[in-house]
Amino acid sequence: MSNKIMVQWMAAGHLSISKMLLQYYTKLGINEEELVLLLHVQAFIEDGHSFPTPHDISERMSLTEMECAEKLRLLVKKGYLDLLEQQDDHQLLSESYSLEPLWEKLISMLRSHEGEATDKKKQDEEINLFQLFEKEFSRPLSPIECETLSMWLDQDQHEAILIKAALKEAVVSGKLNFRYIDRILFEWKKNGIRTVEQAKAYGEKFRKNQGKRYQQPERVQPNTFPTYNWLEQ
């Protein structure tokens, strides 16, 4: 490559293309010809030419000038491209293109997908939670128990991970019933417990206070978990 061509290549600059746009343009309802046309419009804008004509664009594409004009019209109509009018100090009107509607649609779609993924993850966690309870209880949950579990999630807004922690607490305490678990969750919420780590720290603090009231055994079996009766709060 000659020095002259190298200088021209460097001076031409580079077009910044969003990988998200390349990944999701079909989901936005954009075909390949429309995508390339939009990228050419962006390139013109970055070069300081904010209102390229159909002729300007057709010289860079395999489309005719008339086809470019029609696609520009459709992109504006479909809300992917904005046609702005500006007035200068001499009261002269000028027009320019803006790709802001395209980016807004892309961001909106990504947020929607993120929300759907979050909802799907939450739904999976709740299904796993019901399955975990049935596994620990060694039986299907009754309709009342299912309703209680749903109320913990929907009405009381307990996180699934904290409900699992409360279930574990009930298991190691040998008090596997919904009333006991409900009491644990109530105490945690009342004391501002929001994470499993906070629940563990609160439990350790509570056990120390309980130790002053009740005589503790001198020896603790290995791998046991010290428990306390939440119902005696």
Side-chain angles (χ1 to χ4, degrees), residues 20-232:
M20 290 295 184
L21 178 60
L22 291 177
Q23 184 177 350
Y24 293 107
Y25 72 92
T26 56
K27 290 182 173 59
L28 288 172
I30 300 173
N31 60 38
E32 280 73 15
E33 286 185 345
E34 291 171 333
L35 174 65
V36 174
L37 190 146
L38 287 169
L39 294 179
H40 280 303
V41 172
Q42 181 182 352
F44 275 111
I45 293 175
E46 290 184 4
D47 289 339
H49 188 5
S50 59
F51 189 57
T53 66
H55 174 73
D56 295 330
I57 298 174
S58 68
E59 288 189 330
R60 297 186 177 184
M61 297 184 66
S62 59
L63 301 176
T64 66
E65 184 176 337
M66 185 175 296
E67 288 172 330
C68 287
E70 178 62 16
K71 288 190 178 296
L72 285 169
R73 185 187 69 81
L74 287 175
L75 288 169
V76 172
K77 182 179 179 180
K78 291 160 66 175
Y80 299 113
L81 192 63
D82 206 357
L83 182 58
L84 307 176
E85 288 188 352
Q86 298 172 326
Q87 193 172 42
D88 61 18
D89 296 336
H90 302 288
Q91 305 301 310
L92 296 176
L93 289 176
S94 62
E95 294 179 313
S96 62
Y97 287 118
S98 171
L99 273 71
E100 285 189 10
L102 173 64
W103 309 132
E104 290 174 356
K105 284 181 178 294
L106 179 59
I107 292 172
S108 177
M109 188 195 69
L110 292 174
R111 286 177 175 171
S112 176
H113 284 187
E114 182 181 13
E116 290 174 2
T118 300
D119 292 342
K120 178 65 166 55
K121 181 180 178 181
K122 183 178 180 181
Q123 184 180 22
D124 290 343
E125 287 179 348
E126 292 178 2
I127 292 174
N128 292 336
L129 185 62
F130 277 81
Q131 293 174 343
L132 179 62
F133 265 73
E134 291 186 338
K135 178 181 177 181
E136 294 295 346
F137 278 77
S138 299
R139 60 172 175 79
L141 298 180
S142 69
I144 294 178
E145 290 171 336
C146 288
E147 183 179 355
T148 300
L149 191 48
S150 296
M151 288 178 61
W152 288 342
L153 291 164
D154 301 330
Q155 183 174 318
D156 299 331
Q157 296 294 303
H158 293 304
E159 294 290 339
I161 191 171
L162 277 181
I163 297 177
K164 290 180 181 179
L167 172 62
K168 181 179 179 181
E169 180 75 22
V171 170
V172 298
S173 299
K175 299 178 176 63
L176 189 56
N177 60 75
F178 272 73
R179 179 168 173 260
Y180 192 76
I181 297 171
D182 185 64
R183 182 62 183 182
I184 295 173
L185 292 170
F186 174 80
E187 288 296 327
W188 284 351
K189 187 172 185 178
K190 184 177 70 173
N191 290 275
I193 306 302
R194 296 290 181 269
T195 66
V196 174
E197 290 73 20
Q198 290 175 337
K200 289 180 179 178
Y202 179 80
E204 290 174 1
K205 180 180 178 181
F206 186 86
R207 279 187 287 273
K208 288 180 181 179
N209 293 334
Q210 287 290 88
K212 297 176 181 179
R213 296 170 52 190
Y214 303 103
Q215 183 178 359
Q216 300 295 322
E218 295 181 359
R219 298 182 61 185
V220 178
Q221 294 297 326
N223 299 324
T224 58
F225 186 82
T227 62
Y228 48 93
N229 192 343
W230 290 89
L231 297 179
E232 292 182 359

